[in-house]
Amino acid sequence: MAAKTRNSSIELLRILCIFGIIFMHTIAYGGNELSQMNRYLLIFANCFTNLGVTCFMLISGYFGVRFQLEKLIRLDLMVIFYTVLHLIIRIALGVPVGKLDLLSTIFPILSNQYWYLTAYFIIAILSGYLNKAAERLSQVQLRNILWFCLFLFSIVPTFLHFDIMGSEGKNVVQMTVIYMIGRYIRLYDKHVYRTGRLCMLLLGNILLTFILEMALYTVTGHYSFFYRDCSIFTIVSAILLFTAFRNMSFESSFINRTASGVLAVYVFSFGFQRLVYLVLPLENYAFSPLLFPLICVFAPCVVTGCIVIDLVRQKVFGTLESKIAKKLADILGRWLASGMTLFHKIKERLLLYVER
C-alpha cells in the first residue's frame, strides 16, 4: 500500500503564512517612528500578514492533532536548541541577559516564550478530549458553542475593544476556538467553493479591515484593533484563505520538505533577524520610501536562512534528537503510569477513610 502523501497546497499555505509572520515581525525592526506613508503601508500589510497563526491552527484542527508524547518532546528539544542559539547570539552582541532569560531558555514552552507553541502543546495534550467533543456533539451543538465563543472572544473585542483574555487573541483559549472551527470544517463542511469567489471575498474582507483601521487611525491616532489575532475579521480572512487552498490539490516533495522547517523559522526568526539587522539596519529607513522594499528583501532572507539552518540541524542532530525523545518519552510514560497508580491508591484510601 502506497504511503499517503501530504497535500502540497496546504504545505504551501504554511510556507506563505510563515512569510507573512516574519514580514510582520520584520516591520517592527523599522522602529516605532515611521513616516506617514510607511505607517499606512504597515497598517495595510498587517491586515493580511497577521493571518499566519490563525491559519496554522485551522490546519491543525482540520487534520486533527493526536497526542504523541515522543513527538512533543522532539518538538520541545528543537525549540530549546534554537532558544539556546538565540541566547548565544544575544550574549555575543552584548545584549543584557538576566536570570529569567536563562530560565525561559531552558523552559521555553512553560515560560510562554513562544505563545503559539505553548498553546499548541496544551491543545495537543488535550486533543483526545477536544476531538471526541467535536465528534460526539451534534452539528448544531458544536456550531452554537463556536458562535458563543466567537461572540465572546472575537466579536466583542473587535468592536468594543473589551478583550476578556487581555492578550489580543495570543492565548490558548483563542487557539482552542480556532482549532475547534477547523474540526467543524472537517466534519461538516463538504461544500466545494469557487476559488475565484473565495479570493474576491478574502480581498474584500482585507480591504474592509484596512478601511476600518484607517478610519480608527484618522480619528484616534491608534490602530491594530481590527487585525488583531482575536479580531473576527482576521478569523474570517483566515477561514477564506484556508478554504481557497483546501480547494487545490497537488504534490511537491520540495514544498513538503521546505514546510517541515516552518516551526523552526517561527522559533529562530528573532535570533536570525538580529544577525541580518547588522547588515541591513531597517531602523535607518523608517522615514524612507525604501523601507518596505527592503523588508521584502529582509524577510525572505530570514525565512530562507532559518530553513537552511534547520535542514542542517535535522541532518546533524535529527537522529540524536529522536533517540533522546524516545528515551524521555519512555521514562515519562513510566512516571505518569506510576503517578496515576499512586493517585488512585491515595484516592481509594481517602474514600475509605471518609466513609468510615
Side-chain angles (χ1 to χ4, degrees):
M1 184 176 178
K4 186 176 181 180
T5 307
R6 289 181 295 171
N7 183 358
S8 297
S9 66
I10 299 298
E11 299 306 305
L12 177 60
L13 175 59
R14 280 158 48 83
I15 294 170
L16 293 176
C17 284
I18 199 62
F19 264 105
I21 290 170
I22 302 307
F23 191 93
M24 181 182 61
H25 289 171
T26 302
I27 294 173
Y29 275 75
N32 294 322
E33 297 296 328
L34 299 172
S35 68
Q36 196 74 332
M37 180 54 67
N38 284 338
R39 183 75 62 189
Y40 295 154
L41 289 172
L42 178 151
I43 294 172
F44 179 71
N46 281 346
C47 288
F48 60 87
T49 58
N50 199 37
L51 306 179
V53 290
T54 305
C55 282
F56 281 154
M57 193 53 73
L58 276 174
I59 294 169
S60 296
Y62 183 80
F63 290 103
V65 174
R66 299 292 181 268
F67 173 66
Q68 295 176 297
L69 183 58
E70 184 178 335
K71 182 179 178 181
L72 287 179
I73 292 174
R74 196 160 59 243
L75 178 58
D76 193 32
L77 289 173
M78 181 270 286
V79 176
I80 291 173
F81 176 89
Y82 284 117
T83 51
V84 170
L85 189 56
H86 187 189
L87 183 69
I88 292 171
I89 291 172
R90 290 177 63 186
I91 293 172
L93 295 178
V95 179
V97 175
K99 293 179 181 178
L100 285 178
D101 294 313
L102 295 173
L103 196 61
S104 64
T105 298
I106 301 171
F107 303 106
I109 303 300
L110 289 176
S111 64
N112 202 35
Q113 186 169 348
Y114 306 99
W115 70 268
Y116 174 79
L117 286 177
T118 298
Y120 179 85
F121 265 71
I122 295 171
I123 289 170
I125 292 169
L126 299 177
S127 60
Y129 303 103
L130 295 173
N131 295 338
K132 284 182 180 178
E135 292 164 3
R136 293 184 180 182
L137 289 170
S138 69
Q139 181 179 359
V140 173
Q141 288 173 326
L142 181 56
R143 186 175 62 219
N144 289 343
I145 290 172
L146 289 175
W147 272 118
F148 173 75
C149 291
L150 284 172
F151 175 78
L152 200 60
F153 301 120
S154 296
I155 296 175
V156 170
T158 300
F159 296 103
L160 299 181
H161 196 55
F162 299 140
D163 183 6
I164 293 175
M165 303 305 298
S167 57
E168 301 185 343
K170 301 181 186 299
N171 59 73
V172 67
V173 174
Q174 182 75 22
M175 290 298 103
T176 301
V177 174
I178 301 302
Y179 179 86
M180 296 302 281
I181 291 174
R183 296 305 302 151
Y184 182 90
I185 293 172
R186 182 58 181 261
L187 292 170
Y188 301 113
D189 186 8
K190 307 301 181 182
H191 298 89
V192 177
Y193 302 95
R194 294 185 180 181
T195 303
R197 291 184 178 179
L198 287 171
C199 292
M200 287 180 64
L201 288 171
L202 174 61
L203 180 60
N205 194 61
I206 289 173
L207 288 175
L208 177 59
T209 307
F210 176 65
I211 291 169
L212 290 171
E213 287 289 2
M214 288 301 298
L216 181 68
Y217 179 64
T218 301
V219 174
T220 67
H222 300 286
Y223 57 91
S224 84
F225 286 11
F226 298 105
Y227 63 68
R228 297 180 297 170
D229 292 299
C230 62
S231 169
I232 192 65
F233 294 104
T234 297
I235 295 172
V236 169
S237 289
I239 292 172
L240 290 169
L241 183 61
F242 169 73
T243 306
F245 274 84
R246 186 185 62 160
N247 279 356
M248 299 184 288
S249 182
F250 65 92
E251 295 178 8
S252 168
S253 58
F254 173 76
I255 289 176
N256 293 349
R257 180 63 173 165
T258 303
S260 68
V262 159
L263 284 180
V265 176
Y266 174 77
V267 175
F268 187 53
S269 60
F270 291 106
F272 197 80
Q273 278 175 326
R274 291 181 185 273
L275 298 178
V276 179
Y277 189 75
L278 295 175
V279 180
L280 188 60
L282 292 177
E283 193 174 28
N284 295 344
Y285 299 89
F287 292 87
S288 169
L290 293 176
L291 176 62
F292 274 81
L294 287 173
I295 289 175
C296 290
V297 174
F298 189 104
C301 286
V302 171
V303 173
T304 304
C306 289
I307 288 176
V308 170
I309 290 171
D310 193 61
L311 290 174
V312 174
R313 180 195 65 82
Q314 290 180 42
K315 192 73 174 177
V316 176
F317 299 106
T319 304
L320 179 61
E321 279 186 0
S322 296
K323 289 180 179 179
I324 294 173
K326 189 176 187 309
K327 187 68 174 178
L328 289 175
D330 291 339
I331 294 172
L332 288 174
R334 289 196 297 270
W335 284 0
L336 288 172
S338 301
M340 290 303 296
T341 301
L342 180 61
F343 171 77
H344 286 301
K345 286 182 178 180
I346 294 173
K347 182 187 73 173
E348 289 172 1
R349 291 187 180 183
L350 286 173
L351 287 174
L352 288 172
Y353 175 77
V354 172
E355 289 172 357
R356 290 174 186 173

